[in-house]
Amino acid sequence: MDSLKFHVLYEAKYEYEDVVTSNDNTLKIVPYDGDNQELLEENVDTEPKGYKTRYKDMFGNIVYRIKVIEPHYSLVIRSESSVNVKLKEMEDCMLPCQIEDETFLNSSRLIDVDYFKPIAKELLKSSKSLDDLVKNTVEFVRNRLKYKEGITNVDTSAKESFEIGMGVCQDFAQVTIGILRASGIPARYVMGLVNDNPISTHAWVEFKSPSGWIPVDPTRRKFYNIAYVKFAIGRDYYDTPPILGTFVSKGKGWLKKLTVMVRRID
């Protein structure tokens, strides 16, 4: 099995129009440690520094919670890590494949599987194998959705973005997941970084094959041997936001700058 080693950086800088007396953030900005990834080292911190705890959630995602109580007008959240990403071969199977995983077959808050069953039924007619189904599904989604920012948001469901016909990587991923689940194939949402000059986090899909979880990126039309760096997996976006937090201040706050980097290590 081929593998690639990467140095990974995620840094977000927030600014506030008035003093912040408390800032509490939950972070999923460390590479996933499991499946096709091996986390080699990690360092997560903030400026100003805060009280830090680390744990794994129900999906195995590494989660940091950092609470800053030192008064501040800006906050930097930074993660640096190195990870080994293994390229896993997809083992095909003739449909119907007997692959079980109830968690990633059922509907979730943003993905209504029943809504996509009529579409799945039609795609299954023209698909003999799992490989056929995945590729037919991606082509269908790309023909039905136009990539456009500012139309959808993180709370937009797969059904809504499909009916709008526009969206971003989150929408492409969730619609693809909905169709695959409706076809009887376990599929999960992935958040992380692409390995070719990323400018922000990206969303893609992993489906379960006889050889395990295999990546596919419907937004960029990439299949299987994708050496992206995944930060978190889940049923849909709600299980995977990179930063989720609250702060106490009389003024507003905003993301001033986001810096991400994935660099190959020999």
Side-chain angles (χ1 to χ4, degrees), residues 29-203:
I29 52 176
V30 170
Y32 191 88
D33 189 24
D35 291 333
N36 68 317
Q37 290 191 173
E38 179 188 5
L39 181 63
L40 303 175
E41 57 182 338
E42 65 185 291
N43 182 40
V44 178
D45 219 336
T46 60
E47 297 175 17
K49 291 189 178 296
Y51 298 96
K52 179 168 57 177
T53 57
R54 179 192 188 276
Y55 61 94
K56 286 192 176 184
D57 67 13
M58 63 183 288
F59 303 109
N61 302 317
I62 297 171
V63 185
Y64 277 83
R65 185 173 180 183
I66 304 181
K67 185 170 185 178
V68 178
I69 58 174
E70 176 184 329
H72 55 279
Y73 286 88
S74 66
L75 176 71
V76 176
I77 298 173
R78 181 184 299 110
S79 167
E80 283 196 76
S81 54
S82 60
V83 61
N84 193 40
V85 180
K86 301 171 185 175
L87 297 175
K88 183 187 294 184
E89 291 294 325
M90 197 279 276
E91 183 182 336
D92 202 6
C93 58
M94 301 306 292
L95 296 173
C97 302
Q98 300 301 318
I99 305 171
E100 297 297 328
D101 195 313
E102 189 174 333
T103 300
F104 298 110
L105 271 175
N106 293 330
S107 295
S108 56
R109 288 180 290 174
L110 291 173
I111 302 173
D112 180 1
V113 172
D114 288 339
Y115 174 80
F116 292 103
K117 283 185 175 178
I119 298 168
K121 185 178 180 180
E122 291 303 310
L123 288 173
L124 283 166
K125 290 179 182 178
S126 58
S127 304
K128 293 182 179 180
S129 68
L130 178 58
D131 177 64
D132 288 342
L133 178 62
V134 171
K135 289 177 177 175
N136 288 340
T137 299
V138 169
E139 291 306 316
F140 176 83
V141 173
R142 287 174 57 83
N143 287 332
R144 289 297 299 265
L145 289 184
K146 179 181 178 182
Y147 189 93
K148 187 163 182 149
E149 297 179 354
I151 304 299
T152 58
N153 58 53
V154 296
D155 298 310
T156 304
S157 70
K159 175 180 180 290
E160 291 168 333
S161 59
F162 182 77
E163 291 180 348
I164 293 170
M166 290 180 281
V168 293
C169 58
Q170 172 185 326
D171 306 292
F172 278 73
Q174 290 183 156
V175 171
T176 301
I177 290 168
I179 296 171
L180 290 176
R181 289 180 185 170
S183 303
I185 304 301
R188 63 192 189 187
Y189 186 96
V190 188
M191 180 277 296
L193 297 174
V194 301
N195 58 6
D196 51 345
N197 300 314
I199 58 174
S200 185
T201 56
H202 186 58

Side-chain angles (χ1 to χ4, degrees), residues 14 82 241 250 256:
Y14 295 87
S82 60
K250 293 181 180 178
K256 178 70 174 180

Side-chain angles (χ1 to χ4, degrees), residues 8-11 192-193 197-201 231 258-262:
V8 183
L9 170 70
Y10 182 103
E11 182 179 278
L193 297 174
N197 300 314
I199 58 174
S200 185
T201 56
F231 284 166
L258 176 65
T259 304
V260 294
M261 181 196 71
V262 175

